[in-house]
Amino acid sequence: MDTNPLLTRHAEALALFTDRVHAVRQDQWQAPTPCTGWSVRDLVRHLAEEQLWVPELVTARRTVAEVGDTFSGDVLGEDPVAVWDRAAAGARAAFAEPGALERRVALSYGESTVAAYGSQMVADAVVHTWDLSRAIGADERLPDELVSFTAREFGPYSADLEKTGLFGAPVEPPAGADARTKLLSLLGRRV
Protein backbone atom coordinates (compact mmCIF):
# COMPACT_ATOMS: atom_id res chain seq x y z
CA MET A 1 0.00 0.00 0.00
CA ASP A 2 1.23 3.52 -0.74
CA THR A 3 2.59 5.45 2.23
CA ASN A 4 1.08 8.80 1.20
CA PRO A 5 -2.40 9.04 2.79
CA LEU A 6 -3.94 10.52 -0.36
CA LEU A 7 -2.47 7.80 -2.56
CA THR A 8 -3.69 5.20 -0.08
CA ARG A 9 -7.25 6.56 -0.13
CA HIS A 10 -7.15 6.83 -3.94
CA ALA A 11 -6.03 3.22 -4.28
CA GLU A 12 -8.72 2.08 -1.84
CA ALA A 13 -11.47 4.04 -3.62
CA LEU A 14 -10.44 2.69 -7.02
CA ALA A 15 -10.25 -0.87 -5.67
CA LEU A 16 -13.73 -0.57 -4.19
CA PHE A 17 -15.22 0.76 -7.43
CA THR A 18 -13.30 -1.87 -9.41
CA ASP A 19 -14.82 -4.58 -7.25
CA ARG A 20 -18.30 -3.29 -8.10
CA VAL A 21 -17.52 -2.93 -11.83
CA HIS A 22 -16.40 -6.56 -11.89
CA ALA A 23 -19.68 -7.55 -10.21
CA VAL A 24 -21.90 -6.01 -12.92
CA ARG A 25 -23.82 -8.74 -14.72
CA GLN A 26 -24.40 -8.46 -18.48
CA ASP A 27 -28.09 -7.77 -17.90
CA GLN A 28 -27.34 -4.87 -15.52
CA TRP A 29 -25.45 -2.44 -17.77
CA GLN A 30 -28.65 -0.58 -18.69
CA ALA A 31 -30.12 -0.67 -15.17
CA PRO A 32 -30.90 2.72 -13.58
CA THR A 33 -28.69 4.18 -10.87
CA PRO A 34 -29.36 6.73 -8.11
CA CYS A 35 -27.80 9.29 -10.50
CA THR A 36 -30.83 10.72 -12.30
CA GLY A 37 -30.87 9.68 -15.94
CA TRP A 38 -27.76 7.50 -15.70
CA SER A 39 -27.62 3.79 -16.33
CA VAL A 40 -24.94 1.55 -14.83
CA ARG A 41 -23.01 1.91 -18.10
CA ASP A 42 -23.31 5.72 -17.94
CA LEU A 43 -22.00 5.73 -14.38
CA VAL A 44 -19.03 3.48 -15.16
CA ARG A 45 -18.32 5.52 -18.29
CA HIS A 46 -18.27 8.72 -16.20
CA LEU A 47 -15.75 7.29 -13.75
CA ALA A 48 -13.65 5.76 -16.54
CA GLU A 49 -13.53 9.11 -18.38
CA GLU A 50 -12.41 10.83 -15.19
CA GLN A 51 -9.60 8.32 -14.71
CA LEU A 52 -8.54 8.61 -18.37
CA TRP A 53 -8.05 12.36 -17.92
CA VAL A 54 -5.59 11.93 -15.03
CA PRO A 55 -2.50 10.80 -17.02
CA GLU A 56 -3.18 13.48 -19.63
CA LEU A 57 -3.41 16.28 -17.07
CA VAL A 58 -0.91 15.05 -14.47
CA THR A 59 1.73 13.12 -16.40
CA ALA A 60 1.57 14.71 -19.86
CA ARG A 61 0.72 18.09 -18.27
CA ARG A 62 -1.73 18.88 -21.01
CA THR A 63 -4.54 21.37 -20.60
CA VAL A 64 -8.24 20.61 -20.90
CA ALA A 65 -8.23 22.41 -24.25
CA GLU A 66 -5.30 20.33 -25.50
CA VAL A 67 -7.03 17.08 -24.55
CA GLY A 68 -10.20 18.40 -26.14
CA ASP A 69 -12.81 15.80 -26.98
CA THR A 70 -10.41 12.84 -26.80
CA PHE A 71 -12.61 11.15 -24.22
CA SER A 72 -16.02 12.19 -25.46
CA GLY A 73 -18.47 9.55 -26.58
CA ASP A 74 -18.58 6.00 -25.35
CA VAL A 75 -15.08 5.27 -24.08
CA LEU A 76 -16.19 1.87 -22.73
CA GLY A 77 -16.58 0.19 -26.11
CA GLU A 78 -17.24 -3.54 -26.19
CA ASP A 79 -15.43 -4.38 -22.95
CA PRO A 80 -16.37 -1.88 -20.21
CA VAL A 81 -14.63 -3.86 -17.47
CA ALA A 82 -11.27 -3.95 -19.30
CA VAL A 83 -11.52 -0.24 -20.15
CA TRP A 84 -12.26 0.58 -16.51
CA ASP A 85 -9.32 -1.53 -15.33
CA ARG A 86 -6.90 0.22 -17.70
CA ALA A 87 -8.25 3.68 -16.84
CA ALA A 88 -7.99 3.06 -13.09
CA ALA A 89 -4.45 1.69 -13.39
CA GLY A 90 -3.38 4.70 -15.47
CA ALA A 91 -4.83 7.19 -12.99
CA ARG A 92 -3.27 5.47 -10.02
CA ALA A 93 0.15 5.42 -11.73
CA ALA A 94 -0.12 9.09 -12.69
CA PHE A 95 -0.93 10.28 -9.17
CA ALA A 96 1.81 8.04 -7.72
CA GLU A 97 4.60 9.43 -9.93
CA PRO A 98 7.35 11.02 -7.84
CA GLY A 99 6.50 14.70 -7.31
CA ALA A 100 3.10 14.49 -9.02
CA LEU A 101 1.10 15.60 -5.98
CA GLU A 102 3.18 18.78 -5.69
CA ARG A 103 2.39 19.84 -9.27
CA ARG A 104 -0.35 22.14 -10.44
CA VAL A 105 -2.95 21.12 -12.97
CA ALA A 106 -5.34 23.10 -15.18
CA LEU A 107 -8.87 21.78 -14.74
CA SER A 108 -12.14 22.85 -16.38
CA TYR A 109 -12.90 25.23 -13.49
CA GLY A 110 -9.37 26.63 -13.16
CA GLU A 111 -5.95 25.79 -11.81
CA SER A 112 -5.56 23.45 -8.85
CA THR A 113 -2.96 21.42 -7.09
CA VAL A 114 -2.71 17.82 -8.21
CA ALA A 115 -3.26 16.81 -4.57
CA ALA A 116 -6.60 18.68 -4.48
CA TYR A 117 -7.54 17.12 -7.83
CA GLY A 118 -6.70 13.68 -6.44
CA SER A 119 -8.83 14.32 -3.36
CA GLN A 120 -11.80 15.19 -5.55
CA MET A 121 -11.27 12.02 -7.55
CA VAL A 122 -11.27 9.92 -4.38
CA ALA A 123 -14.47 11.49 -3.10
CA ASP A 124 -16.23 11.07 -6.44
CA ALA A 125 -15.23 7.41 -6.65
CA VAL A 126 -16.47 6.75 -3.12
CA VAL A 127 -19.91 8.24 -3.71
CA HIS A 128 -20.26 6.56 -7.09
CA THR A 129 -19.26 3.22 -5.56
CA TRP A 130 -22.37 3.50 -3.42
CA ASP A 131 -24.42 4.48 -6.50
CA LEU A 132 -23.14 1.48 -8.43
CA SER A 133 -23.66 -0.84 -5.46
CA ARG A 134 -27.26 0.31 -5.11
CA ALA A 135 -27.88 -0.13 -8.85
CA ILE A 136 -26.57 -3.69 -9.05
CA GLY A 137 -27.68 -4.92 -5.63
CA ALA A 138 -24.16 -5.19 -4.22
CA ASP A 139 -22.92 -4.47 -0.70
CA GLU A 140 -23.56 -0.75 -0.07
CA ARG A 141 -21.24 -0.43 2.89
CA LEU A 142 -18.29 1.93 2.52
CA PRO A 143 -15.11 1.84 4.61
CA ASP A 144 -15.13 4.36 7.44
CA GLU A 145 -11.82 5.89 6.32
CA LEU A 146 -13.21 6.60 2.85
CA VAL A 147 -16.46 8.02 4.25
CA SER A 148 -14.50 10.36 6.55
CA PHE A 149 -12.16 11.40 3.73
CA THR A 150 -15.08 12.12 1.41
CA ALA A 151 -16.97 14.10 4.03
CA ARG A 152 -13.88 16.25 4.64
CA GLU A 153 -13.45 16.77 0.90
CA PHE A 154 -17.06 17.68 0.06
CA GLY A 155 -17.86 19.45 3.34
CA PRO A 156 -16.40 22.89 2.54
CA TYR A 157 -18.25 23.21 -0.76
CA SER A 158 -21.22 20.89 -0.27
CA ALA A 159 -23.69 23.78 -0.57
CA ASP A 160 -22.51 24.37 -4.14
CA LEU A 161 -22.62 20.75 -5.32
CA GLU A 162 -26.29 20.78 -6.31
CA LYS A 163 -25.61 23.75 -8.63
CA THR A 164 -23.22 21.61 -10.67
CA GLY A 165 -26.10 19.38 -11.76
CA LEU A 166 -24.05 16.34 -10.77
CA PHE A 167 -25.57 15.98 -7.30
CA GLY A 168 -29.12 16.12 -6.03
CA ALA A 169 -30.39 18.49 -3.37
CA PRO A 170 -29.41 17.42 0.13
CA VAL A 171 -31.98 15.30 1.94
CA GLU A 172 -32.55 15.11 5.67
CA PRO A 173 -30.85 12.00 7.06
CA PRO A 174 -32.90 9.87 9.43
CA ALA A 175 -32.47 10.40 13.16
CA GLY A 176 -29.40 8.60 14.48
CA ALA A 177 -27.92 8.20 10.98
CA ASP A 178 -24.38 6.91 10.70
CA ALA A 179 -21.59 8.87 8.97
CA ARG A 180 -22.14 7.11 5.62
CA THR A 181 -25.86 7.92 5.60
CA LYS A 182 -25.19 11.55 6.57
CA LEU A 183 -22.65 11.88 3.75
CA LEU A 184 -24.94 10.33 1.15
CA SER A 185 -27.88 12.45 2.33
CA LEU A 186 -25.74 15.57 1.99
CA LEU A 187 -25.17 14.58 -1.64
CA GLY A 188 -28.87 13.99 -2.37
CA ARG A 189 -28.92 10.23 -1.98
CA ARG A 190 -31.73 8.47 -0.14
CA VAL A 191 -30.31 5.50 1.71
Side-chain angles (χ1 to χ4, degrees), residues 110-144:
E111 192 171 298
S112 174
T113 64
V114 170
Y117 175 41
S119 292
Q120 293 167 10
M121 296 289 281
V122 170
D124 200 45
V126 169
V127 172
H128 286 317
T129 294
W130 181 85
D131 293 330
L132 184 55
S133 298
R134 170 70 48 110
I136 66 170
D139 185 353
E140 296 178 11
R141 290 176 295 177
L142 300 169
D144 292 342

PDB file of all heavy atoms in Angstrom, residues 110-144:
ATOM      1  N   GLY A 110     -10.528  25.810 -13.497  1.00  0.00           N
ATOM      2  CA  GLY A 110      -9.369  26.629 -13.164  1.00  0.00           C
ATOM      3  C   GLY A 110      -8.198  25.806 -12.686  1.00  0.00           C
ATOM      4  O   GLY A 110      -8.237  24.572 -12.691  1.00  0.00           O
ATOM      5  N   GLU A 111      -7.157  26.481 -12.251  1.00  0.00           N
ATOM      6  CA  GLU A 111      -5.950  25.795 -11.809  1.00  0.00           C
ATOM      7  C   GLU A 111      -6.116  25.258 -10.394  1.00  0.00           C
ATOM      8  O   GLU A 111      -6.775  25.864  -9.555  1.00  0.00           O
ATOM      9  CB  GLU A 111      -4.759  26.758 -11.863  1.00  0.00           C
ATOM     10  CG  GLU A 111      -3.439  26.053 -11.704  1.00  0.00           C
ATOM     11  CD  GLU A 111      -2.254  26.970 -11.967  1.00  0.00           C
ATOM     12  OE1 GLU A 111      -2.152  27.469 -13.103  1.00  0.00           O
ATOM     13  OE2 GLU A 111      -1.468  27.155 -11.032  1.00  0.00           O
ATOM     14  N   SER A 112      -5.479  24.117 -10.136  1.00  0.00           N
ATOM     15  CA  SER A 112      -5.565  23.448  -8.846  1.00  0.00           C
ATOM     16  C   SER A 112      -4.261  22.712  -8.590  1.00  0.00           C
ATOM     17  O   SER A 112      -3.486  22.479  -9.506  1.00  0.00           O
ATOM     18  CB  SER A 112      -6.731  22.446  -8.876  1.00  0.00           C
ATOM     19  OG  SER A 112      -6.766  21.672  -7.703  1.00  0.00           O
ATOM     20  N   THR A 113      -4.065  22.316  -7.356  1.00  0.00           N
ATOM     21  CA  THR A 113      -2.955  21.416  -7.089  1.00  0.00           C
ATOM     22  C   THR A 113      -3.369  20.010  -7.512  1.00  0.00           C
ATOM     23  O   THR A 113      -4.561  19.674  -7.506  1.00  0.00           O
ATOM     24  CB  THR A 113      -2.572  21.398  -5.594  1.00  0.00           C
ATOM     25  OG1 THR A 113      -3.674  20.868  -4.853  1.00  0.00           O
ATOM     26  CG2 THR A 113      -2.205  22.793  -5.098  1.00  0.00           C
ATOM     27  N   VAL A 114      -2.407  19.205  -7.864  1.00  0.00           N
ATOM     28  CA  VAL A 114      -2.711  17.817  -8.208  1.00  0.00           C
ATOM     29  C   VAL A 114      -3.258  17.092  -6.979  1.00  0.00           C
ATOM     30  O   VAL A 114      -4.154  16.253  -7.094  1.00  0.00           O
ATOM     31  CB  VAL A 114      -1.479  17.114  -8.809  1.00  0.00           C
ATOM     32  CG1 VAL A 114      -1.713  15.622  -8.946  1.00  0.00           C
ATOM     33  CG2 VAL A 114      -1.124  17.727 -10.161  1.00  0.00           C
ATOM     34  N   ALA A 115      -2.756  17.442  -5.791  1.00  0.00           N
ATOM     35  CA  ALA A 115      -3.264  16.807  -4.566  1.00  0.00           C
ATOM     36  C   ALA A 115      -4.749  17.100  -4.385  1.00  0.00           C
ATOM     37  O   ALA A 115      -5.530  16.192  -4.052  1.00  0.00           O
ATOM     38  CB  ALA A 115      -2.467  17.279  -3.358  1.00  0.00           C
ATOM     39  N   ALA A 116      -5.173  18.342  -4.611  1.00  0.00           N
ATOM     40  CA  ALA A 116      -6.598  18.678  -4.483  1.00  0.00           C
ATOM     41  C   ALA A 116      -7.415  17.943  -5.543  1.00  0.00           C
ATOM     42  O   ALA A 116      -8.511  17.448  -5.264  1.00  0.00           O
ATOM     43  CB  ALA A 116      -6.798  20.180  -4.598  1.00  0.00           C
ATOM     44  N   TYR A 117      -6.890  17.859  -6.748  1.00  0.00           N
ATOM     45  CA  TYR A 117      -7.542  17.120  -7.827  1.00  0.00           C
ATOM     46  C   TYR A 117      -7.691  15.648  -7.431  1.00  0.00           C
ATOM     47  O   TYR A 117      -8.762  15.048  -7.579  1.00  0.00           O
ATOM     48  CB  TYR A 117      -6.706  17.284  -9.093  1.00  0.00           C
ATOM     49  CG  TYR A 117      -7.111  16.509 -10.321  1.00  0.00           C
ATOM     50  CD1 TYR A 117      -8.435  16.363 -10.707  1.00  0.00           C
ATOM     51  CD2 TYR A 117      -6.127  15.943 -11.126  1.00  0.00           C
ATOM     52  CE1 TYR A 117      -8.776  15.666 -11.870  1.00  0.00           C
ATOM     53  CE2 TYR A 117      -6.453  15.254 -12.286  1.00  0.00           C
ATOM     54  CZ  TYR A 117      -7.783  15.114 -12.649  1.00  0.00           C
ATOM     55  OH  TYR A 117      -8.107  14.427 -13.798  1.00  0.00           O
ATOM     56  N   GLY A 118      -6.638  15.072  -6.887  1.00  0.00           N
ATOM     57  CA  GLY A 118      -6.695  13.683  -6.442  1.00  0.00           C
ATOM     58  C   GLY A 118      -7.729  13.470  -5.349  1.00  0.00           C
ATOM     59  O   GLY A 118      -8.454  12.467  -5.353  1.00  0.00           O
ATOM     60  N   SER A 119      -7.831  14.421  -4.429  1.00  0.00           N
ATOM     61  CA  SER A 119      -8.831  14.323  -3.358  1.00  0.00           C
ATOM     62  C   SER A 119     -10.243  14.321  -3.926  1.00  0.00           C
ATOM     63  O   SER A 119     -11.106  13.553  -3.471  1.00  0.00           O
ATOM     64  CB  SER A 119      -8.668  15.488  -2.377  1.00  0.00           C
ATOM     65  OG  SER A 119      -7.459  15.368  -1.671  1.00  0.00           O
ATOM     66  N   GLN A 120     -10.482  15.157  -4.905  1.00  0.00           N
ATOM     67  CA  GLN A 120     -11.800  15.193  -5.546  1.00  0.00           C
ATOM     68  C   GLN A 120     -12.110  13.870  -6.231  1.00  0.00           C
ATOM     69  O   GLN A 120     -13.242  13.375  -6.183  1.00  0.00           O
ATOM     70  CB  GLN A 120     -11.863  16.325  -6.559  1.00  0.00           C
ATOM     71  CG  GLN A 120     -11.806  17.693  -5.942  1.00  0.00           C
ATOM     72  CD  GLN A 120     -11.548  18.780  -6.969  1.00  0.00           C
ATOM     73  OE1 GLN A 120     -11.596  18.549  -8.176  1.00  0.00           O
ATOM     74  NE2 GLN A 120     -11.256  19.976  -6.488  1.00  0.00           N
ATOM     75  N   MET A 121     -11.089  13.296  -6.859  1.00  0.00           N
ATOM     76  CA  MET A 121     -11.275  12.025  -7.555  1.00  0.00           C
ATOM     77  C   MET A 121     -11.604  10.896  -6.567  1.00  0.00           C
ATOM     78  O   MET A 121     -12.425  10.026  -6.864  1.00  0.00           O
ATOM     79  CB  MET A 121     -10.023  11.680  -8.363  1.00  0.00           C
ATOM     80  CG  MET A 121      -9.736  12.671  -9.475  1.00  0.00           C
ATOM     81  SD  MET A 121     -10.912  12.560 -10.813  1.00  0.00           S
ATOM     82  CE  MET A 121     -10.262  11.127 -11.637  1.00  0.00           C
ATOM     83  N   VAL A 122     -10.973  10.917  -5.409  1.00  0.00           N
ATOM     84  CA  VAL A 122     -11.268   9.918  -4.385  1.00  0.00           C
ATOM     85  C   VAL A 122     -12.725  10.050  -3.946  1.00  0.00           C
ATOM     86  O   VAL A 122     -13.475   9.066  -3.920  1.00  0.00           O
ATOM     87  CB  VAL A 122     -10.338  10.075  -3.155  1.00  0.00           C
ATOM     88  CG1 VAL A 122     -10.807   9.188  -2.001  1.00  0.00           C
ATOM     89  CG2 VAL A 122      -8.897   9.774  -3.519  1.00  0.00           C
ATOM     90  N   ALA A 123     -13.112  11.263  -3.591  1.00  0.00           N
ATOM     91  CA  ALA A 123     -14.472  11.495  -3.097  1.00  0.00           C
ATOM     92  C   ALA A 123     -15.517  11.078  -4.132  1.00  0.00           C
ATOM     93  O   ALA A 123     -16.522  10.437  -3.796  1.00  0.00           O
ATOM     94  CB  ALA A 123     -14.634  12.960  -2.711  1.00  0.00           C
ATOM     95  N   ASP A 124     -15.290  11.423  -5.384  1.00  0.00           N
ATOM     96  CA  ASP A 124     -16.235  11.069  -6.435  1.00  0.00           C
ATOM     97  C   ASP A 124     -16.337   9.546  -6.580  1.00  0.00           C
ATOM     98  O   ASP A 124     -17.437   8.996  -6.710  1.00  0.00           O
ATOM     99  CB  ASP A 124     -15.815  11.716  -7.750  1.00  0.00           C
ATOM    100  CG  ASP A 124     -16.952  11.798  -8.752  1.00  0.00           C
ATOM    101  OD1 ASP A 124     -18.074  12.188  -8.366  1.00  0.00           O
ATOM    102  OD2 ASP A 124     -16.715  11.480  -9.926  1.00  0.00           O
ATOM    103  N   ALA A 125     -15.221   8.873  -6.527  1.00  0.00           N
ATOM    104  CA  ALA A 125     -15.232   7.408  -6.649  1.00  0.00           C
ATOM    105  C   ALA A 125     -15.955   6.753  -5.479  1.00  0.00           C
ATOM    106  O   ALA A 125     -16.683   5.772  -5.668  1.00  0.00           O
ATOM    107  CB  ALA A 125     -13.803   6.870  -6.756  1.00  0.00           C
ATOM    108  N   VAL A 126     -15.799   7.313  -4.297  1.00  0.00           N
ATOM    109  CA  VAL A 126     -16.466   6.747  -3.119  1.00  0.00           C
ATOM    110  C   VAL A 126     -17.983   6.858  -3.263  1.00  0.00           C
ATOM    111  O   VAL A 126     -18.717   5.878  -3.097  1.00  0.00           O
ATOM    112  CB  VAL A 126     -15.981   7.435  -1.821  1.00  0.00           C
ATOM    113  CG1 VAL A 126     -16.845   7.041  -0.628  1.00  0.00           C
ATOM    114  CG2 VAL A 126     -14.517   7.100  -1.563  1.00  0.00           C
ATOM    115  N   VAL A 127     -18.462   8.042  -3.583  1.00  0.00           N
ATOM    116  CA  VAL A 127     -19.910   8.243  -3.708  1.00  0.00           C
ATOM    117  C   VAL A 127     -20.472   7.385  -4.842  1.00  0.00           C
ATOM    118  O   VAL A 127     -21.512   6.740  -4.692  1.00  0.00           O
ATOM    119  CB  VAL A 127     -20.233   9.735  -3.933  1.00  0.00           C
ATOM    120  CG1 VAL A 127     -21.708   9.934  -4.259  1.00  0.00           C
ATOM    121  CG2 VAL A 127     -19.842  10.535  -2.704  1.00  0.00           C
ATOM    122  N   HIS A 128     -19.759   7.342  -5.955  1.00  0.00           N
ATOM    123  CA  HIS A 128     -20.263   6.560  -7.086  1.00  0.00           C
ATOM    124  C   HIS A 128     -20.142   5.052  -6.852  1.00  0.00           C
ATOM    125  O   HIS A 128     -20.868   4.279  -7.482  1.00  0.00           O
ATOM    126  CB  HIS A 128     -19.586   6.988  -8.379  1.00  0.00           C
ATOM    127  CG  HIS A 128     -20.084   8.310  -8.879  1.00  0.00           C
ATOM    128  ND1 HIS A 128     -21.418   8.658  -8.888  1.00  0.00           N
ATOM    129  CD2 HIS A 128     -19.420   9.374  -9.396  1.00  0.00           C
ATOM    130  CE1 HIS A 128     -21.559   9.869  -9.392  1.00  0.00           C
ATOM    131  NE2 HIS A 128     -20.361  10.327  -9.698  1.00  0.00           N
ATOM    132  N   THR A 129     -19.281   4.636  -5.936  1.00  0.00           N
ATOM    133  CA  THR A 129     -19.262   3.223  -5.557  1.00  0.00           C
ATOM    134  C   THR A 129     -20.588   2.861  -4.904  1.00  0.00           C
ATOM    135  O   THR A 129     -21.179   1.816  -5.191  1.00  0.00           O
ATOM    136  CB  THR A 129     -18.084   2.901  -4.617  1.00  0.00           C
ATOM    137  OG1 THR A 129     -16.859   3.089  -5.337  1.00  0.00           O
ATOM    138  CG2 THR A 129     -18.155   1.475  -4.097  1.00  0.00           C
ATOM    139  N   TRP A 130     -21.068   3.749  -4.051  1.00  0.00           N
ATOM    140  CA  TRP A 130     -22.365   3.496  -3.425  1.00  0.00           C
ATOM    141  C   TRP A 130     -23.463   3.469  -4.499  1.00  0.00           C
ATOM    142  O   TRP A 130     -24.324   2.584  -4.495  1.00  0.00           O
ATOM    143  CB  TRP A 130     -22.688   4.542  -2.356  1.00  0.00           C
ATOM    144  CG  TRP A 130     -24.003   4.250  -1.702  1.00  0.00           C
ATOM    145  CD1 TRP A 130     -24.229   3.396  -0.647  1.00  0.00           C
ATOM    146  CD2 TRP A 130     -25.285   4.755  -2.085  1.00  0.00           C
ATOM    147  NE1 TRP A 130     -25.576   3.358  -0.357  1.00  0.00           N
ATOM    148  CE2 TRP A 130     -26.242   4.180  -1.218  1.00  0.00           C
ATOM    149  CE3 TRP A 130     -25.710   5.643  -3.070  1.00  0.00           C
ATOM    150  CZ2 TRP A 130     -27.602   4.466  -1.322  1.00  0.00           C
ATOM    151  CZ3 TRP A 130     -27.070   5.923  -3.173  1.00  0.00           C
ATOM    152  CH2 TRP A 130     -28.000   5.339  -2.299  1.00  0.00           C
ATOM    153  N   ASP A 131     -23.423   4.432  -5.421  1.00  0.00           N
ATOM    154  CA  ASP A 131     -24.425   4.475  -6.498  1.00  0.00           C
ATOM    155  C   ASP A 131     -24.430   3.167  -7.286  1.00  0.00           C
ATOM    156  O   ASP A 131     -25.494   2.602  -7.566  1.00  0.00           O
ATOM    157  CB  ASP A 131     -24.132   5.627  -7.473  1.00  0.00           C
ATOM    158  CG  ASP A 131     -24.304   7.000  -6.851  1.00  0.00           C
ATOM    159  OD1 ASP A 131     -25.143   7.161  -5.941  1.00  0.00           O
ATOM    160  OD2 ASP A 131     -23.602   7.927  -7.307  1.00  0.00           O
ATOM    161  N   LEU A 132     -23.246   2.703  -7.653  1.00  0.00           N
ATOM    162  CA  LEU A 132     -23.140   1.476  -8.433  1.00  0.00           C
ATOM    163  C   LEU A 132     -23.601   0.273  -7.606  1.00  0.00           C
ATOM    164  O   LEU A 132     -24.311  -0.605  -8.110  1.00  0.00           O
ATOM    165  CB  LEU A 132     -21.707   1.286  -8.940  1.00  0.00           C
ATOM    166  CG  LEU A 132     -21.458   0.092  -9.856  1.00  0.00           C
ATOM    167  CD1 LEU A 132     -22.391   0.100 -11.063  1.00  0.00           C
ATOM    168  CD2 LEU A 132     -19.997   0.074 -10.302  1.00  0.00           C
ATOM    169  N   SER A 133     -23.225   0.254  -6.345  1.00  0.00           N
ATOM    170  CA  SER A 133     -23.658  -0.836  -5.459  1.00  0.00           C
ATOM    171  C   SER A 133     -25.177  -0.892  -5.381  1.00  0.00           C
ATOM    172  O   SER A 133     -25.775  -1.977  -5.485  1.00  0.00           O
ATOM    173  CB  SER A 133     -23.081  -0.636  -4.060  1.00  0.00           C
ATOM    174  OG  SER A 133     -21.680  -0.668  -4.083  1.00  0.00           O
ATOM    175  N   ARG A 134     -25.796   0.252  -5.201  1.00  0.00           N
ATOM    176  CA  ARG A 134     -27.261   0.309  -5.114  1.00  0.00           C
ATOM    177  C   ARG A 134     -27.889  -0.192  -6.417  1.00  0.00           C
ATOM    178  O   ARG A 134     -28.856  -0.940  -6.418  1.00  0.00           O
ATOM    179  CB  ARG A 134     -27.680   1.740  -4.793  1.00  0.00           C
ATOM    180  CG  ARG A 134     -29.143   2.104  -4.885  1.00  0.00           C
ATOM    181  CD  ARG A 134     -30.094   1.537  -3.849  1.00  0.00           C
ATOM    182  NE  ARG A 134     -29.793   1.599  -2.464  1.00  0.00           N
ATOM    183  CZ  ARG A 134     -30.422   2.363  -1.567  1.00  0.00           C
ATOM    184  NH1 ARG A 134     -31.364   3.197  -1.948  1.00  0.00           N
ATOM    185  NH2 ARG A 134     -30.107   2.283  -0.296  1.00  0.00           N
ATOM    186  N   ALA A 135     -27.314   0.223  -7.540  1.00  0.00           N
ATOM    187  CA  ALA A 135     -27.880  -0.131  -8.850  1.00  0.00           C
ATOM    188  C   ALA A 135     -27.806  -1.619  -9.150  1.00  0.00           C
ATOM    189  O   ALA A 135     -28.713  -2.170  -9.776  1.00  0.00           O
ATOM    190  CB  ALA A 135     -27.168   0.659  -9.944  1.00  0.00           C
ATOM    191  N   ILE A 136     -26.747  -2.267  -8.697  1.00  0.00           N
ATOM    192  CA  ILE A 136     -26.570  -3.687  -9.050  1.00  0.00           C
ATOM    193  C   ILE A 136     -26.901  -4.632  -7.897  1.00  0.00           C
ATOM    194  O   ILE A 136     -26.746  -5.846  -8.027  1.00  0.00           O
ATOM    195  CB  ILE A 136     -25.150  -3.979  -9.589  1.00  0.00           C
ATOM    196  CG1 ILE A 136     -24.086  -3.782  -8.513  1.00  0.00           C
ATOM    197  CG2 ILE A 136     -24.870  -3.140 -10.833  1.00  0.00           C
ATOM    198  CD1 ILE A 136     -22.689  -4.274  -8.895  1.00  0.00           C
ATOM    199  N   GLY A 137     -27.327  -4.074  -6.771  1.00  0.00           N
ATOM    200  CA  GLY A 137     -27.682  -4.915  -5.633  1.00  0.00           C
ATOM    201  C   GLY A 137     -26.489  -5.468  -4.888  1.00  0.00           C
ATOM    202  O   GLY A 137     -26.575  -6.525  -4.273  1.00  0.00           O
ATOM    203  N   ALA A 138     -25.373  -4.750  -4.920  1.00  0.00           N
ATOM    204  CA  ALA A 138     -24.157  -5.188  -4.222  1.00  0.00           C
ATOM    205  C   ALA A 138     -24.117  -4.580  -2.815  1.00  0.00           C
ATOM    206  O   ALA A 138     -24.946  -3.743  -2.459  1.00  0.00           O
ATOM    207  CB  ALA A 138     -22.921  -4.772  -5.018  1.00  0.00           C
ATOM    208  N   ASP A 139     -23.142  -4.973  -2.058  1.00  0.00           N
ATOM    209  CA  ASP A 139     -22.920  -4.465  -0.705  1.00  0.00           C
ATOM    210  C   ASP A 139     -22.750  -2.944  -0.763  1.00  0.00           C
ATOM    211  O   ASP A 139     -21.880  -2.439  -1.461  1.00  0.00           O
ATOM    212  CB  ASP A 139     -21.664  -5.125  -0.132  1.00  0.00           C
ATOM    213  CG  ASP A 139     -21.397  -4.776   1.312  1.00  0.00           C
ATOM    214  OD1 ASP A 139     -22.104  -3.903   1.882  1.00  0.00           O
ATOM    215  OD2 ASP A 139     -20.474  -5.379   1.879  1.00  0.00           O
ATOM    216  N   GLU A 140     -23.589  -2.216  -0.050  1.00  0.00           N
ATOM    217  CA  GLU A 140     -23.565  -0.748  -0.070  1.00  0.00           C
ATOM    218  C   GLU A 140     -22.697  -0.142   1.026  1.00  0.00           C
ATOM    219  O   GLU A 140     -22.577   1.083   1.105  1.00  0.00           O
ATOM    220  CB  GLU A 140     -24.992  -0.196   0.047  1.00  0.00           C
ATOM    221  CG  GLU A 140     -25.862  -0.562  -1.127  1.00  0.00           C
ATOM    222  CD  GLU A 140     -27.291  -0.048  -0.997  1.00  0.00           C
ATOM    223  OE1 GLU A 140     -27.573   0.776  -0.095  1.00  0.00           O
ATOM    224  OE2 GLU A 140     -28.134  -0.476  -1.799  1.00  0.00           O
ATOM    225  N   ARG A 141     -22.106  -0.974   1.847  1.00  0.00           N
ATOM    226  CA  ARG A 141     -21.241  -0.431   2.894  1.00  0.00           C
ATOM    227  C   ARG A 141     -20.011   0.220   2.267  1.00  0.00           C
ATOM    228  O   ARG A 141     -19.543  -0.202   1.212  1.00  0.00           O
ATOM    229  CB  ARG A 141     -20.807  -1.524   3.861  1.00  0.00           C
ATOM    230  CG  ARG A 141     -21.943  -2.036   4.728  1.00  0.00           C
ATOM    231  CD  ARG A 141     -21.491  -3.175   5.585  1.00  0.00           C
ATOM    232  NE  ARG A 141     -21.137  -4.299   4.707  1.00  0.00           N
ATOM    233  CZ  ARG A 141     -20.648  -5.440   5.119  1.00  0.00           C
ATOM    234  NH1 ARG A 141     -20.406  -5.629   6.395  1.00  0.00           N
ATOM    235  NH2 ARG A 141     -20.376  -6.409   4.267  1.00  0.00           N
ATOM    236  N   LEU A 142     -19.512   1.246   2.937  1.00  0.00           N
ATOM    237  CA  LEU A 142     -18.292   1.933   2.518  1.00  0.00           C
ATOM    238  C   LEU A 142     -17.351   1.981   3.709  1.00  0.00           C
ATOM    239  O   LEU A 142     -17.786   2.200   4.841  1.00  0.00           O
ATOM    240  CB  LEU A 142     -18.612   3.366   2.058  1.00  0.00           C
ATOM    241  CG  LEU A 142     -19.574   3.505   0.875  1.00  0.00           C
ATOM    242  CD1 LEU A 142     -20.005   4.963   0.718  1.00  0.00           C
ATOM    243  CD2 LEU A 142     -18.934   2.982  -0.399  1.00  0.00           C
ATOM    244  N   PRO A 143     -16.058   1.788   3.491  1.00  0.00           N
ATOM    245  CA  PRO A 143     -15.106   1.838   4.607  1.00  0.00           C
ATOM    246  C   PRO A 143     -15.140   3.197   5.324  1.00  0.00           C
ATOM    247  O   PRO A 143     -15.231   4.250   4.674  1.00  0.00           O
ATOM    248  CB  PRO A 143     -13.752   1.612   3.923  1.00  0.00           C
ATOM    249  CG  PRO A 143     -14.081   0.891   2.652  1.00  0.00           C
ATOM    250  CD  PRO A 143     -15.408   1.436   2.225  1.00  0.00           C
ATOM    251  N   ASP A 144     -15.070   3.139   6.635  1.00  0.00           N
ATOM    252  CA  ASP A 144     -15.133   4.361   7.440  1.00  0.00           C
ATOM    253  C   ASP A 144     -14.098   5.400   7.014  1.00  0.00           C
ATOM    254  O   ASP A 144     -14.396   6.595   6.975  1.00  0.00           O
ATOM    255  CB  ASP A 144     -14.937   4.037   8.924  1.00  0.00           C
ATOM    256  CG  ASP A 144     -16.102   3.243   9.511  1.00  0.00           C
ATOM    257  OD1 ASP A 144     -17.201   3.238   8.903  1.00  0.00           O
ATOM    258  OD2 ASP A 144     -15.904   2.623  10.576  1.00  0.00           O
TER     259      ASP A 144
END
